[in-house]
Amino acid sequence: MSDCLFCRIAAGEIPADIVYQDEKVVAFRDINPKAEVHLLLIPREHVDSLNAVTPAHDELLGYMLRLTAKLAREQGLADGYRTIINTGPGGGQVIFHLHLHLLGGKGLPGFE
Ligand code: 5GP
Ligand code: ZN
């Protein structure tokens, strides 16, 4: 059993409010939302961070970004949204399984 929280969510071992999943990715609501809509998109494959990405992941990353736009539309974020990938301790990364934050709607924090 993996000791990575997001691997365990992807495997269904830990519950999450999943809004989309397929064979490559899972999207679920952040447990501590920073805006009205706050989703986390993760690859099913464990990748520590953006720093661990290789050319073999190019297709996966493109897929995740396209899916982000689709999920934003489905979440009603026609006016726009913010995407964030925190990388490493200095970038505020707390969970070391690559994830993309999709934020939008009321309460979207400033970019300070
Ligand atoms: P990071 O700071 O690593 O970019 O973001 C990690 C995010 O994961 C945080 O926004 C945090 O609220 C979220 N998070 C941490 N633990 C859980 C959990 O068990 N379930 C869900 N859905 N989100 C989590
Ligand atoms: Zn993982």
Side-chain angles (χ1 to χ4, degrees):
M1 189 187 285
S2 171
D3 60 1
C4 168
L5 175 66
F6 286 178
C7 280
R8 297 190 68 188
I9 285 177
E13 293 167 6
I14 289 178
D17 188 352
I18 292 174
V19 300
Y20 177 85
Q21 59 181 320
D22 62 26
E23 72 283 1
K24 293 197 210 78
V25 303
V26 182
F28 51 94
R29 294 192 191 281
D30 195 292
I31 204 166
N32 181 23
K34 300 287 196 299
E36 188 179 13
V37 175
H38 187 173
L39 303 185
L40 300 173
L41 264 82
I42 66 168
R44 284 192 182 276
E45 176 188 345
H46 180 90
V47 180
D48 279 353
S49 79
L50 213 46
N51 285 338
V53 160
T54 72
H57 298 113
D58 285 357
E59 191 181 329
L60 175 64
L61 289 180
Y63 181 71
M64 284 178 67
L65 288 176
R66 273 198 311 111
L67 184 61
T68 298
K70 178 168 174 281
L71 292 176
R73 277 194 298 277
E74 289 175 3
Q75 293 291 318
L77 301 176
D79 195 38
Y81 51 91
R82 179 168 300 146
T83 50
I84 299 174
I85 299 177
N86 295 325
T87 302
Q93 185 177 9
V94 173
I95 309 276
F96 281 78
H97 179 130
L98 177 65
H99 54 280
L100 180 150
H101 296 257
L102 166 56
L103 297 137
K106 290 194 191 73
L108 185 65
F111 193 75
E112 63 276 89

